[in-house]
Amino acid sequence: MSTRESMSPRVTPATDNPPATDASGLLLPVPDDDGEPFWAYAARGELRVQACGDCGELRFPPRPCCPHCRSFTAHWQKMSGRGRIWSYVLPHPPLLPAYAARPGYNAIVVELADAPRIRLVGNLVAAADAALNSVDPARLRIGAPVKAVFHPMPGGVTVPRWLLERP
């Protein structure tokens, strides 16, 4: 082994760490220290975004340092839960076996009404506890107004999902 190789840190490839899934095989979020408050607020039915404690700039995903002023102080600002579909995709074919049983499911990117530079990824559904494919894909439109609802997943994580404001 060369000196250079022995000095390089060992990096574990992402494939060595399988993603967290529920009993049906659906992917679950894995909260980290910076993002844990986001998930805790979601469990209470609140959509909150991290804000700098010094300059007030909103940021997502959460991180320890403000990218604008480099402050390490932060708080979690409550959002209205309203936004618009900024983008979407209908995966064909589903990449994971558990999603193959849900043809026509969607993944959307929502631009928040309170913070247009903040975009969250989720699913458009007919109700908070509805199946991922509960909305006809023909109803998806860029710019459509949506509102957040919250769905508890197995394992104790609650995820935001999205409903059309005008069904």
Side-chain angles (χ1 to χ4, degrees), residues 107-162:
I108 65 172
V109 179
V110 174
E111 178 182 72
L112 296 182
D114 319 68
R117 292 187 336 204
I118 303 288
R119 297 184 184 114
L120 304 178
V121 176
N123 303 100
L124 185 67
V125 291
D129 59 351
L132 293 182
N133 60 355
S134 62
V135 173
D136 180 351
R139 299 188 62 212
L140 292 166
R141 296 283 183 267
I142 301 295
V146 293
K147 63 181 175 182
V149 292
F150 298 90
H151 177 70
M153 300 287 289
V157 177
T158 298
V159 297
R161 291 180 167 185
W162 302 91

Side-chain angles (χ1 to χ4, degrees), residues 88-96 99-100 102-108 123:
Y88 67 90
V89 66
L90 301 170
H92 297 287
L95 300 175
L96 298 172
Y99 292 86
R102 294 160 179 81
Y105 80 94
N106 62 73
I108 65 172
N123 303 100

Side-chain angles (χ1 to χ4, degrees), residues 33-105:
D33 290 342
D34 296 322
E36 191 283 325
F38 175 84
W39 302 107
Y41 284 117
R44 296 184 350 203
E46 295 180 22
L47 186 64
R48 291 192 180 233
V49 172
Q50 191 181 51
C52 178
D54 289 335
C55 74
E57 191 71 30
L58 297 173
R59 60 185 185 248
F60 196 89
R63 48 196 170 271
C65 180
C66 176
H68 301 280
C69 75
R70 298 191 177 119
S71 170
F72 282 89
T73 63
H75 65 276
W76 288 84
Q77 187 168 319
K78 190 171 184 178
M79 301 283 106
S80 68
R82 293 192 163 8
R84 67 179 192 91
I85 297 176
W86 188 79
S87 184
Y88 67 90
V89 66
L90 301 170
H92 297 287
L95 300 175
L96 298 172
Y99 292 86
R102 294 160 179 81
Y105 80 94

